[in-house]
Amino acid sequence: MRKGQNPSVASIYRALAERAKREAYPEAVEAAHADFAALQPGERPGPCMATAEAAR
């Protein structure tokens, strides 16, 4: 959401769709969380520097 403004219809729709996915597939969400937690700190994905460089 944009600071100081009302959320757009698109952002509300995305949030509702994401919530519906989490409720429909709770075991997949838990498995993804467990997989991410099992990663070593060096293996975890970080910010994409190529995208940040292109934005400049």
Side-chain angles (χ1 to χ4, degrees):
M1 183 169 64
R2 296 162 290 171
K3 186 175 181 178
Q5 298 178 6
N6 291 326
S8 69
V9 173
S11 66
I12 293 171
Y13 178 79
R14 281 192 301 271
L16 290 173
E18 193 64 34
R19 179 177 175 171
K21 279 193 252 179
R22 284 194 308 267
E23 290 176 351
Y25 304 103
E27 66 281 349
V29 172
E30 288 185 27
H33 286 165
D35 289 347
F36 186 79
L39 292 175
Q40 298 298 319
E43 297 176 321
R44 291 186 182 164
C48 181
M49 298 311 287
T51 305
E53 293 295 323
R56 290 182 188 187

